[in-house]
Amino acid sequence: MWCIGRLTEEYRRRMYGLLDLYARPYRKQEPVVCIDEKSKQLLKHTRPVLPIRPGAAAKHDYEYKRAGTCNLRRRGTQG
C-alpha cells in the first residue's frame, strides 16, 4: 500500500506546487496531462461458471488460478 513517510518541508513544497498546477485555468497551448499506473493480478477460473438462470445470478467458484500480472495505465487531461 502506498503511504506518505514523513511530511517534510520538501514534501509540502512539492505537494503545494502540484496543487497550484492543477488549480491553473485550462490553457489549450499548455494542457496538464496526468498519468496513473496500477499493477493488477490476472486470475483464471478453476471451474466453469454456472450460467445465469431465471431468478438466479451466475455462480462463480471462490477458487482461482494465478495467470500473471498486467499494468493498467490511465491518462487524463485538465479541462
Side-chain angles (χ1 to χ4, degrees):
M1 182 172 139
W2 182 87
C3 63
I4 299 168
R6 276 185 259 170
L7 293 176
T8 63
E9 195 58 41
E10 179 187 3
Y11 178 87
R12 285 186 176 96
R13 184 175 42 79
R14 289 182 177 197
M15 179 184 69
Y16 288 122
L18 186 61
L19 292 173
D20 289 342
L21 175 67
Y22 288 148
R24 288 182 192 169
Y26 176 73
R27 293 184 60 200
K28 190 174 183 177
Q29 301 81 5
E30 290 184 338
V32 175
V33 178
C34 306
I35 298 174
D36 193 13
E37 180 178 88
K38 183 169 182 109
S39 181
K40 295 297 280 182
Q41 178 176 242
L42 302 175
L43 306 176
K44 284 180 140 180
H45 295 290
T46 56
R47 295 180 179 90
V49 176
L50 297 177
I52 192 168
R53 293 184 317 193
K59 300 205 175 15
H60 299 259
D61 192 42
Y62 64 90
E63 196 173 285
Y64 62 87
K65 181 179 178 181
R66 288 199 62 188
T69 60
C70 71
N71 289 321
L72 302 175
R73 291 182 183 92
R74 182 178 159 254
R75 182 186 70 160
T77 56
Q78 174 192 30

